[in-house]
Amino acid sequence: MSVWIAIGATVVGCYAVKLLGLSVPAGALERPRIKQLAALIPVALLAALIAIQTVGADDRTLVLDARAAGLAGAAVALVLRAPFLVVVAVAVLITAGVRALGG
């Protein structure tokens, strides 16, 4: 039963956040600082998600596996200014290759 309560609370919370975002006056969203933050927040959240999913920790030791190699390949593709889909493909192929080799 507590799982359903948590799901219900999550649904209500998500709806409230969405409603709060829609109720912000348009003038407040046109400020240059707000526009800049709105452009940077998704990038920061995505970077944090990638970092958390790529580098794991086992008690007090750092765990680097095939995902780290894929991330390094994606970073090289980004430095070479490859298109987004190419960056993703490079990361996938390198990760799969390292895993296939037993890493």
Side-chain angles (χ1 to χ4, degrees):
M1 184 65 175
S2 63
V3 172
W4 287 109
I5 292 171
I7 291 171
T10 303
V11 168
V12 170
C14 288
Y15 184 77
V17 168
K18 181 73 170 176
L19 187 62
L20 181 66
L22 292 174
S23 65
V24 174
L29 299 175
E30 294 300 321
R31 296 180 186 156
R33 185 67 139 178
I34 299 298
K35 283 184 176 182
Q36 186 179 22
L37 283 174
L40 293 178
I41 286 176
V43 174
L45 290 174
L46 182 60
L49 178 64
I50 289 170
I52 287 171
Q53 292 297 318
T54 300
V55 180
D58 184 23
D59 288 334
R60 294 185 181 264
T61 60
L62 187 63
V63 178
L64 294 175
D65 57 6
R67 294 175 291 185
L71 181 62
V76 169
L78 282 173
V79 168
L80 296 174
R81 304 187 73 62
F84 178 73
L85 290 178
V86 173
V87 172
V88 172
V90 166
V92 168
L93 291 173
I94 290 176
T95 302
V98 170
R99 285 185 179 167
L101 293 173

